[in-house]
């Protein structure tokens, strides 16, 4: 009799544990932690994030969104810079400054400044495919982003980082309320 009660309690405990695990797994929200400085000053190393995995099922991706994605087996948090069908102009310098993104109206000015100070310079135009986005980190050339690995297919996007607000100075502050 005692063994039957213990067996029943054990089964009930296992069932509750499985149900809890399934509830957590199918929850649209995930917690994440920022690792690295590529999104500084917006997000800080070690900061806790809330990621909505279902957001893009009901909303289009917007320029400026902060998203979580998987690239080459690594989970990253970056900002959407360019949308499908748009063109990105990348200025590639053969020195340690890294690649820079320039606006189309700046091309002539950039070329003139580099004619005056010769250096190895290459302008690369990147067409963002219809199923991809171009991502940048907020810390400029210190970030590893689409300048390094190219546009990211939308099926690699995990979700949108939520609970970000813009303060009166137009700085983006992550204010995750848990």
């Amino acid at each position: 009799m005692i063994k039957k009660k213990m067996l029943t309690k054990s089964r009930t405990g296992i069932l509750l544990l499985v149900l809890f695990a399934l509830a957590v797994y199918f929850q649209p929200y995930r917690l994440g932690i920022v690792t690295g400085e590529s999104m500084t000053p917006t997000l800080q190393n070690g900061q806790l994030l809330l990621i909505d995995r279902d957001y893009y099922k009901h909303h289009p991706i917007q320029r400026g969104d902060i998203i979580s994605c998987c690239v080459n087996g690594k989970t990253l948090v970056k900002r959407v810079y360019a949308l499908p069908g748009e063109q990105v102009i990348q200025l590639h310098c053969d020195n340690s400054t890294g690649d820079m993104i320039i606006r189309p109206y700046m091309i002539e000015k950039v070329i003139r400044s580099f004619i005056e100070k010769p250096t190895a310079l290459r302008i690369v135009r990147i067409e963002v495919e219809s199923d991809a986005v171009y991502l940048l980190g907020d810390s400029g050339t210190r970030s590893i982003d689409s300048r390094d690995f190219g546009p990211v297919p939308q099926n690699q996007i995990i979700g949108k980082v939520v609970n970000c607000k813009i303060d009166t100075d137009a700085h983006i502050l992550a204010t995750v309320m848990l």
Side-chain angles (χ1 to χ4, degrees), residues 120-133:
L121 168 71
R122 192 175 65 213
I123 295 176
V124 180
R125 294 177 192 269
I126 299 167
E127 296 289 335
V128 181
E129 294 180 18
S130 63
D131 65 341
V133 291

Side-chain angles (χ1 to χ4, degrees), residues 90-100 110 114 119-123:
Q90 194 168 316
L91 181 64
H92 178 75
C93 303
D94 289 339
N95 58 26
S96 62
T97 61
D99 291 354
M100 296 183 295
V110 168
F114 280 98
T119 185
L121 168 71
R122 192 175 65 213
I123 295 176

